[in-house]
Amino acid sequence: MGKRLPPLLALEAFDSAARHMSFKAAAAELNLTPSAISHRVKALERHLGLPLFRRLNREIRFTEAGQDYFGSVRRALDEVARASQRLQAPSQGDELRVSAVPFIAAAWLIPNLESFLDSQPGLRLYVESTQRNADFARDPVDAAIRWGHGRWPGLSATRLASISVTPVASPKLMQSGGGLRALTRPRDLRDHTLIHLSYLPKAWGRWLAAAGVAGLKPKREIWVDNMQQAIDAAERGIGITLGVTPLLAPRLLEQRLVMPFGLELSENYAYWFVCRRAEADRPRLKALREWLVQLLAQADVQMKLLQAKQPF
């Protein structure tokens, strides 16, 4: 029977390349070179006797056979991962591995973990801080906190917090000085530096239009790729960023940041607690999910109490 199976390393390379539609990205994921990924995929194609990808200039595309085969390979690998997890569960019942974006991990998970661990004696909790979405088919994680639409095949997703954005700044920017105009009206933003989040590229434009200053040109602009960088820069007075509520409540309560204006703009995405659907009722996972839902609900209440009341 073993002779009928394709090379397993070639299957792994094909699966990664198919998920990313890139040999380069697959190479980064598997710690190989793009050439090695290409060779392994070619070995699989030789084994099957037909091409799985069309190799174009700087990109790859499925052949019809490749598209169909990928669906079968993904289902098979998912089943192997689930079976492995079921076997491991009895010996790892007192261990949880959670993946979260850096800002969530730093602003919410770590500062509040003591209360959760007190309710779960004997639990070993591992927190992985990363911008990359965990791949439940191959990464050793039990749960993840993701930003997005909440629809991921094979996964259970529970909404933790809806997302709104509003400008936040250091309190010192509320007063004029150093050649800067005090932040009292949205049009004053033209004299300051705006800090953009690369994963919300249109957010500032949408907010400025809603505030009645569409097309405003700021003094300077900075682009960063995660919320932690943006908030740290705002706290240092480097510029004004769009903060994601309700996650900023602690910094606002501590007056490390202020909301110069009362206008919040809702986004179409939310933060979600995500785990494998088959494991959603594991006691430790269920307890973590319920604790996070309660924690973010408290933050939402805090944000409502902290809403800036501006005249405009």
Side-chain angles (χ1 to χ4, degrees):
M1 180 177 291
K3 292 183 179 179
R4 298 207 305 266
L5 288 174
L8 296 182
L9 291 178
L11 275 180
E12 180 185 51
F14 167 69
D15 172 68
S16 183
R19 282 186 287 107
H20 296 291
M21 269 299 135
S22 166
F23 287 164
K24 183 178 179 180
E29 180 178 80
L30 299 178
N31 197 27
L32 296 169
T33 65
S35 177
I37 295 292
S38 178
H39 285 311
R40 290 186 182 186
V41 172
K42 286 179 180 177
L44 180 60
E45 291 173 324
R46 285 195 299 271
H47 177 90
L48 298 172
L50 76 175
L52 300 171
F53 292 116
R54 290 185 292 118
R55 289 146 174 91
L56 307 175
N57 184 27
R58 296 187 178 180
E59 62 180 354
I60 58 175
R61 290 287 182 268
F62 279 126
T63 61
E64 185 175 348
Q67 178 80 62
D68 181 67
Y69 191 56
F70 175 57
S72 298
V73 168
R74 185 100 292 272
R75 287 191 294 272
L77 291 177
D78 284 346
E79 181 56 34
V80 170
R82 286 192 292 269
S84 301
Q85 186 68 32
R86 286 193 295 271
L87 288 174
Q88 294 172 343
S91 63
Q92 295 185 356
D94 290 331
E95 177 179 303
L96 282 181
R97 295 181 178 272
V98 183
S99 173
V101 295
F103 184 70
I104 290 284
W108 285 97
L109 273 180
I110 303 303
N112 294 290
L113 272 181
E114 186 176 3
S115 65
F116 175 68
L117 293 175
D118 284 346
S119 70
Q120 301 292 315
L123 175 66
R124 296 187 301 276
L125 187 67
Y126 299 84
V127 179
E128 175 187 327
S129 177
T130 175
Q131 288 291 113
R132 181 181 67 86
N133 274 350
D135 181 352
F136 282 85
R138 60 179 67 247
D139 292 341
V141 297
D142 300 291
I145 300 175
R146 286 185 177 178
W147 174 85
H149 47 58
R151 298 182 299 277
W152 294 284
L155 301 179
S156 168
T158 301
R159 183 189 293 265
L160 294 176
S162 297
I163 291 177
S164 295
V165 295
T166 190
V168 291
S170 166
K172 66 184 180 183
L173 294 188
M174 299 300 291
Q175 300 178 350
S176 59
L180 297 177
R181 185 187 300 272
L183 280 174
T184 58
R185 296 164 295 182
R187 68 185 183 189
D188 294 334
L189 290 167
R190 68 178 182 268
D191 297 312
H192 292 266
T193 298
L194 297 191
I195 303 168
H196 297 265
L197 292 166
S198 59
Y199 60 88
L200 293 174
K202 299 180 180 179
W204 261 120
R206 291 177 58 240
W207 189 92
L208 292 170
V213 287
L216 179 141
K217 301 297 182 184
K219 183 179 180 180
R220 285 186 295 266
E221 294 179 277
I222 300 172
W223 293 80
V224 298
D225 63 6
N226 69 71
M227 177 63 70
Q228 188 69 52
Q229 293 172 346
I231 294 301
D232 287 347
E235 283 192 1
R236 290 182 173 86
I238 295 171
I240 301 97
T241 192
L242 285 175
V244 174
T245 66
L247 301 179
L248 294 172
R251 295 170 189 252
L252 294 165
L253 284 170
E254 296 167 6
Q255 297 186 336
R256 293 158 63 184
L257 289 171
V258 294
M259 293 186 293
F261 317 110
L263 176 64
E264 287 190 29
L265 206 60
S266 296
E267 290 291 327
N268 293 324
Y269 296 102
Y271 283 106
W272 302 83
F273 178 89
V274 182
C275 65
R276 297 175 184 87
R277 192 172 294 159
E279 300 171 12
D281 291 328
R282 279 177 57 191
R284 297 288 202 184
L285 278 177
K286 187 176 180 180
L288 179 61
R289 178 173 62 243
E290 292 175 351
W291 175 74
L292 283 167
V293 167
Q294 182 180 18
L295 187 67
L296 270 296
Q298 293 172 354
D300 193 50
V301 171
Q302 290 176 336
M303 282 303 304
K304 287 179 171 58
L305 296 175
L306 287 165
Q307 289 300 319
K309 300 183 182 299
Q310 298 296 324
F312 82 94

Short mmCIF file of all heavy atoms in Angstrom, two decimals, residues 42-69:
data_model
loop_
_atom_site.label_atom_id
_atom_site.label_comp_id
_atom_site.label_asym_id
_atom_site.label_seq_id
_atom_site.Cartn_x
_atom_site.Cartn_y
_atom_site.Cartn_z
N LYS A 42 7.50 19.14 -8.41
CA LYS A 42 7.74 18.42 -9.66
C LYS A 42 7.80 16.91 -9.42
O LYS A 42 7.34 16.11 -10.25
CB LYS A 42 9.03 18.91 -10.31
CG LYS A 42 8.92 20.28 -10.95
CD LYS A 42 10.25 20.72 -11.56
CE LYS A 42 10.12 22.10 -12.21
NZ LYS A 42 11.41 22.58 -12.75
N ALA A 43 8.37 16.50 -8.30
CA ALA A 43 8.42 15.07 -7.97
C ALA A 43 7.01 14.52 -7.79
O ALA A 43 6.71 13.39 -8.21
CB ALA A 43 9.25 14.86 -6.70
N LEU A 44 6.14 15.32 -7.16
CA LEU A 44 4.75 14.90 -6.99
C LEU A 44 4.05 14.81 -8.34
O LEU A 44 3.29 13.86 -8.60
CB LEU A 44 4.03 15.89 -6.07
CG LEU A 44 2.55 15.60 -5.78
CD1 LEU A 44 2.38 14.23 -5.11
CD2 LEU A 44 1.96 16.70 -4.90
N GLU A 45 4.31 15.79 -9.21
CA GLU A 45 3.70 15.77 -10.54
C GLU A 45 4.18 14.56 -11.34
O GLU A 45 3.38 13.93 -12.07
CB GLU A 45 4.02 17.08 -11.27
CG GLU A 45 3.32 18.29 -10.66
CD GLU A 45 3.74 19.61 -11.27
OE1 GLU A 45 4.96 19.73 -11.61
OE2 GLU A 45 2.90 20.51 -11.40
N ARG A 46 5.45 14.20 -11.19
CA ARG A 46 5.94 13.00 -11.88
C ARG A 46 5.26 11.75 -11.34
O ARG A 46 4.92 10.83 -12.10
CB ARG A 46 7.46 12.90 -11.72
CG ARG A 46 8.25 13.88 -12.58
CD ARG A 46 9.72 13.49 -12.65
NE ARG A 46 10.36 13.48 -11.34
CZ ARG A 46 10.95 14.53 -10.78
NH1 ARG A 46 10.97 15.70 -11.42
NH2 ARG A 46 11.52 14.44 -9.60
N HIS A 47 5.07 11.71 -10.04
CA HIS A 47 4.41 10.56 -9.42
C HIS A 47 2.98 10.41 -9.94
O HIS A 47 2.52 9.30 -10.19
CB HIS A 47 4.40 10.73 -7.89
CG HIS A 47 3.69 9.63 -7.16
ND1 HIS A 47 4.33 8.49 -6.73
CD2 HIS A 47 2.39 9.50 -6.79
CE1 HIS A 47 3.46 7.70 -6.13
NE2 HIS A 47 2.28 8.30 -6.14
N LEU A 48 2.30 11.55 -10.09
CA LEU A 48 0.90 11.52 -10.53
C LEU A 48 0.77 11.42 -12.05
O LEU A 48 -0.29 11.02 -12.55
CB LEU A 48 0.17 12.78 -10.03
CG LEU A 48 0.09 12.94 -8.51
CD1 LEU A 48 -0.46 14.33 -8.17
CD2 LEU A 48 -0.79 11.87 -7.89
N GLY A 49 1.80 11.87 -12.74
CA GLY A 49 1.76 11.81 -14.19
C GLY A 49 1.01 12.95 -14.85
O GLY A 49 0.59 12.82 -16.01
N LEU A 50 0.88 14.08 -14.15
CA LEU A 50 0.20 15.24 -14.74
C LEU A 50 0.58 16.50 -13.96
O LEU A 50 0.96 16.42 -12.79
CB LEU A 50 -1.31 15.05 -14.77
CG LEU A 50 -2.13 15.23 -13.48
CD1 LEU A 50 -3.60 15.11 -13.80
CD2 LEU A 50 -1.75 14.22 -12.43
N PRO A 51 0.50 17.68 -14.60
CA PRO A 51 0.87 18.93 -13.91
C PRO A 51 -0.21 19.39 -12.93
O PRO A 51 -1.41 19.22 -13.19
CB PRO A 51 1.04 19.92 -15.05
CG PRO A 51 0.14 19.41 -16.13
CD PRO A 51 0.15 17.91 -16.01
N LEU A 52 0.23 19.96 -11.83
CA LEU A 52 -0.69 20.50 -10.83
C LEU A 52 -0.75 22.02 -10.86
O LEU A 52 -1.74 22.62 -10.44
CB LEU A 52 -0.26 20.04 -9.43
CG LEU A 52 -0.24 18.53 -9.21
CD1 LEU A 52 0.42 18.20 -7.88
CD2 LEU A 52 -1.65 17.96 -9.26
N PHE A 53 0.31 22.65 -11.35
CA PHE A 53 0.37 24.11 -11.47
C PHE A 53 0.73 24.50 -12.89
O PHE A 53 1.45 23.77 -13.58
CB PHE A 53 1.42 24.71 -10.53
CG PHE A 53 1.12 24.59 -9.07
CD1 PHE A 53 1.94 23.84 -8.24
CD2 PHE A 53 0.03 25.24 -8.52
CE1 PHE A 53 1.68 23.74 -6.89
CE2 PHE A 53 -0.24 25.15 -7.17
CZ PHE A 53 0.57 24.40 -6.34
N ARG A 54 0.25 25.67 -13.28
CA ARG A 54 0.77 26.33 -14.47
C ARG A 54 1.77 27.37 -14.00
O ARG A 54 1.43 28.24 -13.21
CB ARG A 54 -0.36 26.99 -15.27
CG ARG A 54 -1.29 26.00 -15.94
CD ARG A 54 -2.33 26.69 -16.82
NE ARG A 54 -3.28 27.45 -16.00
CZ ARG A 54 -3.45 28.77 -16.06
NH1 ARG A 54 -2.71 29.50 -16.90
NH2 ARG A 54 -4.35 29.36 -15.31
N ARG A 55 2.99 27.27 -14.43
CA ARG A 55 4.05 28.17 -14.00
C ARG A 55 4.11 29.36 -14.95
O ARG A 55 4.52 29.22 -16.10
CB ARG A 55 5.37 27.41 -13.93
CG ARG A 55 5.43 26.42 -12.75
CD ARG A 55 6.22 25.19 -13.11
NE ARG A 55 6.42 24.30 -11.95
CZ ARG A 55 5.59 23.30 -11.65
NH1 ARG A 55 4.51 23.06 -12.39
NH2 ARG A 55 5.83 22.53 -10.59
N LEU A 56 3.69 30.52 -14.45
CA LEU A 56 3.66 31.73 -15.25
C LEU A 56 4.82 32.63 -14.83
O LEU A 56 5.63 32.29 -13.97
CB LEU A 56 2.32 32.44 -15.05
CG LEU A 56 1.07 31.57 -15.28
CD1 LEU A 56 -0.18 32.33 -14.94
CD2 LEU A 56 1.03 31.06 -16.71
N ASN A 57 4.88 33.80 -15.40
CA ASN A 57 5.93 34.75 -15.06
C ASN A 57 5.71 35.28 -13.65
O ASN A 57 4.77 36.02 -13.39
CB ASN A 57 5.92 35.92 -16.07
CG ASN A 57 7.06 36.89 -15.82
OD1 ASN A 57 8.10 36.50 -15.29
ND2 ASN A 57 6.86 38.14 -16.20
N ARG A 58 6.56 34.84 -12.71
CA ARG A 58 6.55 35.30 -11.32
C ARG A 58 5.30 34.85 -10.54
O ARG A 58 5.03 35.39 -9.47
CB ARG A 58 6.67 36.82 -11.24
CG ARG A 58 8.00 37.36 -11.77
CD ARG A 58 8.12 38.84 -11.51
NE ARG A 58 9.39 39.36 -11.97
CZ ARG A 58 9.75 40.64 -11.87
NH1 ARG A 58 8.93 41.52 -11.31
NH2 ARG A 58 10.92 41.04 -12.32
N GLU A 59 4.55 33.90 -11.05
CA GLU A 59 3.41 33.42 -10.30
C GLU A 59 3.05 32.01 -10.76
O GLU A 59 3.52 31.54 -11.80
CB GLU A 59 2.20 34.35 -10.46
CG GLU A 59 1.69 34.47 -11.87
CD GLU A 59 0.49 35.40 -11.96
OE1 GLU A 59 0.01 35.86 -10.92
OE2 GLU A 59 0.04 35.66 -13.08
N ILE A 60 2.23 31.33 -9.97
CA ILE A 60 1.73 30.01 -10.33
C ILE A 60 0.21 30.02 -10.26
O ILE A 60 -0.38 30.82 -9.53
CB ILE A 60 2.30 28.91 -9.40
CG1 ILE A 60 1.94 29.21 -7.93
CG2 ILE A 60 3.78 28.73 -9.60
CD1 ILE A 60 2.35 28.11 -6.97
N ARG A 61 -0.40 29.15 -11.04
CA ARG A 61 -1.86 29.00 -11.04
C ARG A 61 -2.17 27.51 -11.09
O ARG A 61 -1.45 26.72 -11.69
CB ARG A 61 -2.49 29.71 -12.24
CG ARG A 61 -2.44 31.24 -12.17
CD ARG A 61 -3.44 31.74 -11.13
NE ARG A 61 -3.46 33.20 -11.06
CZ ARG A 61 -2.73 33.92 -10.24
NH1 ARG A 61 -1.87 33.31 -9.42
NH2 ARG A 61 -2.80 35.23 -10.23
N PHE A 62 -3.29 27.12 -10.47
CA PHE A 62 -3.71 25.74 -10.52
C PHE A 62 -4.02 25.30 -11.95
O PHE A 62 -4.58 26.08 -12.75
CB PHE A 62 -5.00 25.53 -9.71
CG PHE A 62 -4.81 25.39 -8.23
CD1 PHE A 62 -5.50 26.19 -7.35
CD2 PHE A 62 -3.95 24.41 -7.72
CE1 PHE A 62 -5.35 26.04 -5.99
CE2 PHE A 62 -3.79 24.26 -6.36
CZ PHE A 62 -4.49 25.07 -5.49
N THR A 63 -3.72 24.07 -12.26
CA THR A 63 -4.39 23.41 -13.37
C THR A 63 -5.72 22.90 -12.82
O THR A 63 -5.96 22.91 -11.60
CB THR A 63 -3.56 22.23 -13.90
OG1 THR A 63 -3.41 21.26 -12.84
CG2 THR A 63 -2.19 22.68 -14.36
N GLU A 64 -6.60 22.44 -13.69
CA GLU A 64 -7.88 21.91 -13.21
C GLU A 64 -7.64 20.72 -12.28
O GLU A 64 -8.29 20.59 -11.23
CB GLU A 64 -8.74 21.50 -14.40
CG GLU A 64 -10.13 21.04 -14.00
CD GLU A 64 -11.01 20.74 -15.20
OE1 GLU A 64 -10.62 21.11 -16.33
OE2 GLU A 64 -12.08 20.13 -15.01
N ALA A 65 -6.71 19.85 -12.66
CA ALA A 65 -6.39 18.69 -11.82
C ALA A 65 -5.79 19.14 -10.49
O ALA A 65 -6.10 18.57 -9.43
CB ALA A 65 -5.42 17.77 -12.55
N GLY A 66 -4.95 20.18 -10.51
CA GLY A 66 -4.33 20.67 -9.29
C GLY A 66 -5.35 21.23 -8.31
O GLY A 66 -5.26 20.99 -7.10
N GLN A 67 -6.33 21.96 -8.83
CA GLN A 67 -7.37 22.52 -7.98
C GLN A 67 -8.16 21.41 -7.28
O GLN A 67 -8.42 21.46 -6.07
CB GLN A 67 -8.33 23.36 -8.83
CG GLN A 67 -9.50 23.96 -8.07
CD GLN A 67 -9.11 25.20 -7.30
OE1 GLN A 67 -8.70 26.21 -7.89
NE2 GLN A 67 -9.22 25.17 -5.99
N ASP A 68 -8.51 20.38 -8.04
CA ASP A 68 -9.27 19.27 -7.48
C ASP A 68 -8.43 18.49 -6.46
O ASP A 68 -8.91 18.12 -5.39
CB ASP A 68 -9.73 18.35 -8.61
CG ASP A 68 -10.56 17.18 -8.09
OD1 ASP A 68 -11.67 17.42 -7.60
OD2 ASP A 68 -10.07 16.03 -8.18
N TYR A 69 -7.16 18.28 -6.80
CA TYR A 69 -6.28 17.50 -5.92
C TYR A 69 -6.02 18.23 -4.61
O TYR A 69 -5.97 17.61 -3.54
CB TYR A 69 -4.96 17.23 -6.65
CG TYR A 69 -4.06 16.23 -5.99
CD1 TYR A 69 -4.51 14.95 -5.69
CD2 TYR A 69 -2.74 16.56 -5.68
CE1 TYR A 69 -3.67 14.01 -5.09
CE2 TYR A 69 -1.90 15.64 -5.09
CZ TYR A 69 -2.36 14.37 -4.79
OH TYR A 69 -1.52 13.45 -4.20
#
